[in-house]
Amino acid sequence: MTGKLGTSSLHALQDRFQAHVLQSDAAALNDICDGTGWQPSHRLGVYHHAYRARLLETMRDTFSHTWRYLGDEWFDQLALPYIEQHPSRLSNLRWYGETWPSWLAGDRLATLNLGNHPEVAELAQLDWALRRSFDAADSPALTAAHLSALLPDQWVHAALLPQAGAALLSVACNTLALWHALDQDEEVPPAEQLAQALSVLVWRQGEQPHFRSLADEEAQALTQVMLGHSFADVCDLLARLRPDAVEQVPAMAGAMLRRWLSDGVLACSASMVASQ
């Protein structure tokens, strides 16, 4: 192409180029000059391929344990169709792939003739939650010292605040065992369906993401916390769950709170700082 481009012409050129990179639209081929020894389709093809290769590389990094579990061929068979259907819409590639775990769920693998493997979506979900936790915004952790500086009525009824990187997941397979084996380069056990779905807490302590399984009562209590409820609300919930052992609820709730404080699961909210 020769001559000067006006602003509107430049935007149109950019739109055609993007349409070719994302959707293989042929209109951009007419914008490419001949004479370099490469056909226009080959020259644009470099960008078409590089875009997908960069997103695939990003997904392999973000979902590293899922990648190890599947291997290159299976991972690419699942990642590349997702890339075609979900172009990157953010300037930071760190957030690309957020919806891949849910995209993998259900009968996705079966429709791609890869069989029924629900553990794959769960591994991807765990990978994403851990990476999200690692990159979450920093905030001061709530400690026992913060609470002891307040009157009991102040902190008991104040809304508890989870750390920005905290998340509650549910797995129906032995996904945690698979993840640990992959992480430690050990022999990966066969995937198995659990007798009952398991709740998993993901959070960051300092700079290190962690996860652990939860008993059903703690999972329900933490769900209350994730919804912005108070310690008093947690106690009320436990009392409803344990009507035959109401007298044990304060000790049970206190033990949960001590564990959350020790692990750094909770953030020190502005309201608690103001009260203090």
Short mmCIF file of all heavy atoms in Angstrom, two decimals, residues 87 92 95 174 188 231 237 254:
data_model
loop_
_atom_site.label_atom_id
_atom_site.label_comp_id
_atom_site.label_asym_id
_atom_site.label_seq_id
_atom_site.Cartn_x
_atom_site.Cartn_y
_atom_site.Cartn_z
N PRO A 87 -11.94 -15.03 22.13
CA PRO A 87 -10.78 -14.16 21.89
C PRO A 87 -10.43 -13.36 23.14
O PRO A 87 -11.29 -13.10 23.99
CB PRO A 87 -11.26 -13.24 20.76
CG PRO A 87 -12.75 -13.27 20.84
CD PRO A 87 -13.10 -14.65 21.32
N ASN A 92 -4.30 -7.45 29.64
CA ASN A 92 -3.43 -8.25 30.50
C ASN A 92 -3.75 -9.73 30.28
O ASN A 92 -4.82 -10.21 30.66
CB ASN A 92 -3.64 -7.86 31.96
CG ASN A 92 -2.64 -8.53 32.88
OD1 ASN A 92 -1.95 -9.46 32.50
ND2 ASN A 92 -2.56 -8.05 34.11
N TRP A 95 -5.32 -12.60 32.86
CA TRP A 95 -6.71 -12.95 33.15
C TRP A 95 -7.35 -13.77 32.03
O TRP A 95 -8.54 -14.06 32.09
CB TRP A 95 -7.52 -11.67 33.41
CG TRP A 95 -6.94 -10.89 34.54
CD1 TRP A 95 -6.33 -9.67 34.46
CD2 TRP A 95 -6.86 -11.27 35.92
NE1 TRP A 95 -5.88 -9.27 35.70
CE2 TRP A 95 -6.20 -10.24 36.62
CE3 TRP A 95 -7.30 -12.39 36.63
CZ2 TRP A 95 -5.96 -10.29 37.99
CZ3 TRP A 95 -7.05 -12.45 37.99
CH2 TRP A 95 -6.40 -11.40 38.66
N ASN A 174 -11.36 -37.28 42.89
CA ASN A 174 -10.16 -37.22 43.73
C ASN A 174 -9.16 -36.22 43.15
O ASN A 174 -7.97 -36.50 42.99
CB ASN A 174 -9.52 -38.60 43.87
CG ASN A 174 -9.13 -39.21 42.53
OD1 ASN A 174 -9.72 -38.89 41.50
ND2 ASN A 174 -8.15 -40.10 42.54
N VAL A 188 0.66 -40.52 39.16
CA VAL A 188 -0.69 -39.97 39.28
C VAL A 188 -1.68 -41.12 39.45
O VAL A 188 -1.71 -42.04 38.62
CB VAL A 188 -1.05 -39.13 38.04
CG1 VAL A 188 -2.47 -38.58 38.16
CG2 VAL A 188 -0.05 -37.99 37.86
N PHE A 231 -19.55 -13.08 62.61
CA PHE A 231 -19.28 -14.26 63.43
C PHE A 231 -20.55 -14.70 64.15
O PHE A 231 -20.79 -15.91 64.30
CB PHE A 231 -18.18 -13.96 64.44
CG PHE A 231 -17.79 -15.12 65.29
CD1 PHE A 231 -17.09 -16.19 64.75
CD2 PHE A 231 -18.13 -15.17 66.63
CE1 PHE A 231 -16.73 -17.29 65.54
CE2 PHE A 231 -17.78 -16.26 67.43
CZ PHE A 231 -17.07 -17.31 66.87
N LEU A 237 -25.82 -20.12 62.31
CA LEU A 237 -25.87 -21.18 61.31
C LEU A 237 -25.49 -22.52 61.94
O LEU A 237 -26.17 -23.54 61.74
CB LEU A 237 -24.92 -20.86 60.16
CG LEU A 237 -24.66 -22.01 59.17
CD1 LEU A 237 -25.92 -22.30 58.36
CD2 LEU A 237 -23.49 -21.70 58.26
N GLY A 254 -15.50 -21.01 67.58
CA GLY A 254 -14.22 -20.42 68.00
C GLY A 254 -13.04 -21.12 67.38
O GLY A 254 -12.06 -20.48 66.96
#
